[in-house]
Every structure is written in structure tokens, then in C-alpha cells.
Amino acid sequence: MKRKLISTTALLLLVQFAICQTSSNLPEKKRPNIVVILADDMGYSDIGMFGSEIKTPNLDALASNGVRFTNFYTHASCSPSRSMLLSGVDTHLNGLGNMDEWTAPNQVGVEGYEGNLNNKVVTVPQLLKDAGYHTYMVGKWHLGKSPDKIPAARGFERDFALLDGMGSYWDMTNMTALVPNSLFTEDGKYLTKLPKNYYATKTYTEKIISFIDADHKDGKPFFAYVAHQAPHDPYHLPKDWTNRHVGQYDIGWDNIRQQRLKRQKELGIVPESASLAERMWFIPDYSILAPATRAVLGRKMELYAGLVENLDFHIGQLVDHLKKIGEYENTIFIILGDNGAEGNDLGEMIAGQKGSLNSLFFASKWSNNNINAWGEPGSYVGYGPGWAQASMTPFGQYKGWLGEGGIRNALIVSGPVNKREKGSINNGLMSIADIMPTLLDVAGTTYPKNYNGIQLPPMIGKSWTNVLAGVADSPRTNSDYIAWELFGNRALRQGDWKLRWEYAPFGKGDWELFNVAQDPSERNDLAANNPIKLKEMLLLWEEYVAKNNVILPSRSPFEGVYDVLPARFPIEEGFPPLIYKRQYAPPKELMNTSKQ
């Protein structure tokens, strides 16, 4: 009996050993690929599934296969948003406490205000690469140009990157006269010329496909950061994309906003009670403009719509290729814009501004401003504040400001990580800083306390794991908050409440309080009627300032910009007055050099 028991035990052990051996020989399930698609200056309502009349079938398909987030926040401008996406750390600690272009005198030389992604933080590609991922990047970088700041130095194995914040889609023409040529890198090397038949959106797509194809058979997952230049101005696009909306926008921004709001309510993007933000005070009623003026302004929006559709087409090219090579089903897609729509029509600034500041900051190559040549090399056109507010339906304000129109953006997440109902909508409070902790979870790795001997600042982002699994609506508790400061404007959101301070006239030059769940258009300042809530939010603001090294600028680019506005709008001259972000005049010796 005893011998029989021993034999039975031995048999069980043998079976278990065989099972273990078999299991160890099974191929390990490949971790998901990750594709982050970042659109530059695309508005909240510019995608079809967020209410737009612009045709975006490929983005709509990803939304239908995934989940849309309606309370997703970025920062108010390009490089600050990118710094948070790639580091998960607040801008005042990661180097973008202010944009390099607008650093105030009291911020110069201060840690956290370097104007580039500093070396005190680790990036998501660095950690994903360490975790066994291939890491690729194409498109706009805007986080530093020196050899230790370019994509190859921050964790990307392969890159094809525009290092500047903007420029031509056709060639290396940069925005500024001081730096007339844009700077590009490819695989860590600075370029002296661009590929043949270069067009930004097309070339970025071709490059990212080639990077993926070079490695995808080795079994390793990949992280692809596709940071498109589109639809940032100037609105450059191939001729066969310029005339797809002829006459469609002559009805004006007011009507387009109303149409988009109606569709948003039908789609469930905004509640039935939602109303439009007031048209900003310096934007005229479109219906009183002369027919020729309406046609010119409508043409700008036609080009913008074509640019968004061209972007969608090339996103579709990437998606189709991933399907072709069998990688689509195992790929997570995260699609977002980097800030609110751009309301500053720099094309008009170039054409209309007189004096040395214009000659200093804008390259003479931007001279092809005949309306029939818009979209071609050398042309410069943007659509201005009226259409920017339409892109940000139903919100007020736009890029650079901390109203909802400057920081709320459309977010789509699709792929195997999403366990929620396909095509569903989520209203949870989300931040661009959440992307890094989410991707670390996806990759099965963690955020270290130290990296390369440097003690790292804490991430402020929260992983979306539970939200995408369908077990939570937000990664944040009711006590968590998101805060912003840029150019001296500041804001904080906790739950349904938002605290805001902005320079006049967009703000009051004092603290305002909004319930953005009930009033997403920020029409009703509740500060006077809710002193206790206001005090609670101000205490949170003070906590944020102390934790994150917030140094308010000694001067703002918005100061003094409004005193040049005429007493009445020169509507009969063709264009409403436009507000521009303005840098203070540089030293006289620099001005003199620029004239020589």
C-alpha cells in the first residue's frame, strides 16, 4: 500500500513537471504595440465623432472601435503639453515652466524654466526602451535642439524630427528671420536637406512605417510617437486637397458653431443643457461682414478643413499598414491634440504689421500671400480667432489661454487595452500627464525613484488602467486636482469646479470660479456667491505652487497688447482686428543687426 502511494505521488510529480515544461515552451504573449498620434493645434470639435462636419473617417473608425473622452486636458501651448506627455511631470519641474520663446527675466536661469525638456526627468521612451520596446518618433519635437536634447538622446531608437515649433510643410523654411531654416534630425543626426518629394504629413507617415517594418518581425513590441505638424499653420497642403470645401464656410463661424453643438448633443459629447460660450468680444458677427470678406475668411477655414482631412488620410495609411502586416489587433492607439486651436492669424501679422519687429521675427520667404497661392510653398495663412472658437465648440478662448478652449481637447483610445464598450464616451477627468504612467502599466514596468544617478521628481499623472478596464470612470478621486500656469495665467480644476486667473480682457485679472460640469462654456463666475469654495480652491492653488516650483513671470507676453486695438473694428477693410501673442522688443543692438 505504501509502495503504491509513493508511485502515485511520483506520477503526480512527473505530470506536474511535464505541464511546467510544456508551459515554459509556449511562446510568451507579445505585449501590445503603442501608437500615440499627436495633432498640432487641432480643436476639440474638429473630428467627426466630436461633432465636426470635416470628414475624418479614419479617426472616426478608431473612435468607434475605442472610447472617447470628453474631459481630457492638455496644457495651453505646444511644448508644455509635449513635455508632460513624455515625462508625466509638471512643466515647472521638467523644464517648460515657460516656453523658451517667452521666458520672463525672473525665470531665466532658474531650474525648471530651461525652455526645453531638462535632464532632471526621465522620458517614457527611455523607460519603454529599457523594458524591451522599440521606440520610434516622427514629426514635431519642440523640446530642445542641442545634442543632449534631441529625440535620440531622450530614448528614441529611430527618429525623423522637426526640432522647431513650426515651419513650412514643403521645405526647411522656418518661421523666423533670425533662424531662417528649420532644424531636422534623422536617427540622431542633423539634416542638411530633406527627402525628395518631402511633404510633412506624408513624409512623417512614410518614415514611421519604414521604422516599424525594419523591426516588426523580431517579436519585440514598439512604441511609435507620431507627432504630426498638422493642422498647425501655415496651412500648406497639396492642390488636390485645397478645394474640397469650396463655399462651405461662407455661412460663418456662428453657424458652424451652432451646427457642431447640435451634433455634439446628438452624439452625447456634451449634455443637452450645454450652451455655446459667448463669441469673444473682438470677433464680429459674421453676417454683417461684406460678401467678399466672408469669402476670404471662409477660404481660410476651407484650407484648414482640407489640412485636417489630409491628416486623417495619412493616419488611415498607417492604420491600414498595421493591418496589412498583422500588427493592428495588438496595437493601442492614443489620439489627441496638444492644446486648443490656434486663434492667432500670423499670416495676417506678417502681411499687415509694419516696423522692425516684423522684419526681425518673420522671414522674408513668407511672401507668397496671393489668395490663389494659399497652401503653396512660401504662403502663410492661418484662420484667426473666429474659426478657432468654432474649432473649440462649445468653449470660449483658444490656444495660449486657460479657458476651456485653451486646454480641453478630444481624446480617443482604441485597441486591446480598452475593455469598455466600443464607441462609448467617458466623462472622467483626464490629463495629458496621465499618458506616461498608463504606458508604463501597459509595458509592465514602473517609474523609478532614480535614473542614471538622478533623483526623479514625482509624476503627477494617473494611470488609466482601471478606467480602460471599465472599473472606474476617472483615474482621479474627488480630492485630486489638475493645475496649470503659463504666461502668468493660471487655473486649477478639482471635480466639477475650476479656479481661473487670467489677464484682462479674457479674464478679470482676478480669481474666477466656475462649475464647468454645469457650465463648460464658463459663462457664470461663481466666486462672489461661493466664498468658502473659492477659499478651498485657493488653498489647493497655493499647495500646487509650493510643490511645483511655480514662479509667476515678471512680465507677460499679453501685457500691453490690447491698447493698440482701434475704437471700432475696421470691418470694411476686410478683416476684424486680431490679437497676437507678442514678445517684448529685443535689445537695440539686436534690432540694428537685423536691419543690416
Side-chain angles (χ1 to χ4, degrees):
M1 183 71 178
K2 189 175 181 179
R3 288 179 64 184
K4 187 175 182 180
L5 181 61
I6 292 173
S7 299
T8 303
T9 303
L11 180 61
L12 288 172
L13 289 172
L14 185 62
V15 170
Q16 288 178 346
F17 176 76
I19 291 172
C20 289
Q21 286 293 100
T22 303
S23 299
S24 66
N25 291 329
L26 290 174
E28 182 183 350
K29 184 178 180 181
K30 182 182 175 183
R31 288 171 295 175
N33 306 311
I34 302 162
V35 174
V36 174
I37 298 175
L38 185 65
D40 198 353
D41 292 357
M42 185 170 69
Y44 183 83
S45 67
D46 283 334
I47 299 172
M49 288 290 274
F50 278 81
S52 184
E53 73 292 335
I54 299 173
K55 298 177 179 63
T56 56
N58 296 294
L59 289 169
D60 293 348
L62 289 168
S64 297
N65 193 47
V67 58
R68 286 164 287 167
F69 294 91
T70 64
N71 269 291
F72 170 69
Y73 287 94
T74 61
H75 218 299
S77 196
C78 312
S79 49
S81 286
R82 285 165 166 74
S83 73
M84 292 174 71
L85 188 159
L86 291 174
S87 73
V89 171
D90 187 81
T91 56
H92 303 88
L93 297 176
N94 69 28
L96 270 299
N98 204 341
M99 295 181 69
D100 181 50
E101 297 88 341
W102 305 104
T103 305
N106 64 320
Q107 297 168 337
V108 173
V110 177
E111 191 171 290
Y113 294 80
E114 293 88 347
N116 53 63
L117 189 62
N118 65 30
N119 291 321
K120 302 294 183 181
V121 298
V122 66
T123 67
V124 65
Q126 285 175 306
L127 295 181
L128 292 185
K129 185 178 179 181
D130 292 346
Y133 271 70
H134 288 300
T135 54
Y136 314 130
M137 186 265 170
V138 296
K140 173 177 159 180
W141 180 240
H142 203 193
L143 293 173
K145 297 181 181 181
S146 61
D148 63 329
K149 299 292 190 298
I150 61 178
R154 304 314 301 263
F156 288 104
E157 293 177 29
R158 305 288 308 275
D159 74 272
F160 182 87
L162 166 67
L163 301 185
D164 295 275
M166 60 194 304
S168 172
Y169 285 62
W170 297 109
D171 51 42
M172 299 181 85
T173 305
N174 197 1
M175 183 66 186
T176 68
L178 290 175
V179 187
N181 293 319
S182 295
L183 198 57
F184 287 80
T185 59
E186 184 166 16
D187 296 339
K189 297 180 180 179
Y190 296 94
L191 297 181
T192 57
K193 63 179 181 179
L194 295 172
K196 187 177 180 181
N197 299 321
Y198 173 83
Y199 174 71
T201 314
K202 175 179 73 74
T203 302
Y204 297 154
T205 303
E206 292 171 348
K207 289 291 183 180
I208 198 68
I209 287 174
S210 70
F211 296 165
I212 292 168
D213 280 355
D215 296 322
H216 88 272
K217 291 183 180 180
D218 67 6
K220 291 175 62 175
F222 64 81
F223 166 58
Y225 175 46
V226 186
H228 278 291
Q229 190 174 337
H232 196 298
D233 56 345
Y235 301 158
H236 286 173
L237 62 169
K239 284 188 178 295
D240 55 339
W241 290 89
T242 61
N243 295 315
R244 300 187 177 214
H245 296 272
V246 174
Q248 181 175 347
Y249 293 103
D250 291 358
I251 61 174
W253 38 67
D254 297 318
N255 285 314
I256 292 297
R257 290 177 75 209
Q258 290 286 355
Q259 291 175 8
R260 290 193 179 188
L261 178 64
K262 181 175 182 292
R263 277 191 292 272
Q264 288 177 328
K265 291 180 178 181
E266 293 169 350
L267 291 167
I269 298 297
V270 300
E272 280 294 326
S273 60
S275 59
L276 291 172
E278 295 181 74
R279 188 188 335 111
M280 287 182 286
W281 57 275
F282 55 89
I283 300 173
D285 180 341
Y286 208 85
S287 65
I288 68 173
L289 298 175
T293 300
R294 292 200 300 269
V296 170
L297 292 172
R299 179 59 177 162
K300 294 186 174 189
M301 185 62 193
E302 291 173 19
L303 294 171
Y304 178 83
L307 198 56
V308 173
E309 291 183 353
N310 181 269
L311 171 64
D312 178 83
F313 170 78
H314 285 97
I315 290 171
Q317 297 289 99
L318 173 58
V319 170
D320 288 346
H321 187 76
L322 293 177
K323 290 178 179 178
K324 180 181 177 181
I325 64 175
E327 296 287 357
Y328 171 78
E329 295 295 336
N330 195 41
T331 299
I332 297 164
F333 294 89
I334 299 176
I335 301 105
L336 66 151
D338 64 342
N339 44 242
E342 175 62 272
N344 302 289
D345 187 348
L346 297 180
E348 282 302 296
M349 189 175 184
I350 294 168
Q353 186 176 351
K354 297 179 181 180
S356 58
L357 199 63
N358 183 46
S359 63
L360 175 66
F361 283 105
F362 296 106
S364 60
K365 293 180 181 179
W366 301 109
S367 58
N368 190 6
N369 279 309
N370 184 304
I371 188 171
N372 295 316
W374 283 354
E376 297 177 9
S379 66
Y380 203 110
V381 59
Y383 63 6
W387 292 120
Q389 195 171 11
S391 283
M392 295 310 300
T393 302
F395 309 124
Q397 304 188 11
Y398 46 73
K399 176 181 176 180
W401 296 88
L402 294 181
E404 295 294 278
I407 53 179
R408 185 114 56 117
N409 219 282
L411 170 68
I412 298 168
V413 181
S414 181
V417 72
N418 177 45
K419 305 303 179 185
R420 304 181 81 95
E421 181 182 353
K422 291 183 177 181
S424 62
I425 293 172
N426 177 276
N427 301 314
L429 187 56
M430 319 283 274
S431 166
I432 193 169
D434 301 340
I435 292 176
M436 180 162 179
T438 302
L439 298 188
L440 297 183
D441 278 354
V442 167
T445 190
T446 57
Y447 185 73
K449 291 183 179 180
N450 299 278
Y451 194 82
N452 289 339
I454 297 173
Q455 185 174 347
L456 299 175
M459 285 194 298
I460 58 170
K462 308 283 186 179
S463 175
W464 298 337
T465 304
N466 288 337
V467 175
L468 295 171
V471 298
D473 288 328
S474 172
R476 287 170 175 78
T477 66
N478 291 333
S479 62
D480 291 329
Y481 61 84
I482 303 172
W484 303 260
E485 185 278 324
L486 187 64
F487 309 139
N489 293 324
R490 56 213 89 144
L492 183 145
R493 179 166 176 182
Q494 183 188 49
D496 294 344
W497 292 91
K498 180 179 175 185
L499 183 71
R500 194 183 82 188
W501 191 105
E502 291 188 303
Y503 285 95
F506 281 22
K508 296 179 179 179
D510 198 357
W511 289 106
E512 300 174 85
L513 183 67
F514 303 95
N515 186 315
V516 287
Q518 298 175 4
D519 178 27
S521 301
E522 297 171 293
R523 281 176 168 262
N524 303 305
D525 177 13
L526 304 175
N529 296 328
N530 293 269
I532 295 176
K533 189 64 183 178
L534 177 63
K535 185 176 180 180
E536 291 175 358
M537 298 289 279
L538 286 172
L539 287 173
L540 292 176
W541 171 257
E542 292 173 5
E543 175 186 285
Y544 169 73
V545 169
K547 283 184 176 180
N548 294 282
N549 188 36
V550 176
I551 299 172
L552 296 177
S554 55
R555 67 185 187 193
S556 166
F558 303 115
E559 292 177 12
V561 75
Y562 303 101
D563 56 11
V564 298
L565 289 178
R568 67 184 187 85
F569 302 130
I571 293 170
E572 69 278 4
E573 295 178 15
F575 296 95
L578 302 171
I579 303 247
Y580 305 107
K581 290 176 292 186
R582 178 169 64 86
Q583 200 168 28
Y584 278 71
K588 289 183 178 179
E589 59 269 21
L590 185 56
M591 297 288 288
N592 292 336
T593 301
S594 70
K595 293 178 182 178
Q596 294 175 357

